[in-house]
Amino acid sequence: ETQIDGRVGENLRQTLLDNNIEVYRGLKKKLGNCGGAGQCTFCAVDFVESVGWAERSEYEDGRLSKAVNARLACLNNIQGPATIRMQ
């Protein structure tokens, strides 16, 4: 378990990467990620707890329909405290 601090408004994916959190595990994800454009879903993270975060978007619902607690880190800016689990 790792705790990191991010600022409200910062991009979640970038904050994870800046804190040396391995967002893209495995060769396929490392080479095939879309670079934060919301296309590949490889940066999906599970939200265990969150306070003050908006509901996930319709786009995320469509792309992550089987993972009800997942969000795309690249499409979300930090909105408050959260506990997330890397997929």
Side-chain angles (χ1 to χ4, degrees), residues 27-78:
L27 189 59
K28 178 181 177 183
K29 290 183 178 184
K30 287 180 181 176
L31 297 177
N33 77 76
C34 67
Q39 301 298 309
C40 68
T41 71
F42 292 161
C43 68
V45 295
D46 288 322
F47 271 62
V48 178
E49 293 180 44
S50 61
V51 176
W53 288 71
E55 296 291 319
R56 75 181 192 176
S57 67
E58 287 183 33
Y59 180 77
E60 286 178 296
D61 283 339
R63 299 289 287 164
L64 304 168
S65 60
K66 294 180 182 179
V68 295
N69 294 321
R71 305 288 296 264
L72 295 176
C74 67
L75 296 183
N76 284 279
N77 290 337
I78 296 172

Side-chain angles (χ1 to χ4, degrees), residues 18-35:
D18 289 348
N19 283 276
N20 299 315
I21 303 297
E22 190 172 6
V23 176
Y24 304 109
R25 295 184 183 168
L27 189 59
K28 178 181 177 183
K29 290 183 178 184
K30 287 180 181 176
L31 297 177
N33 77 76
C34 67

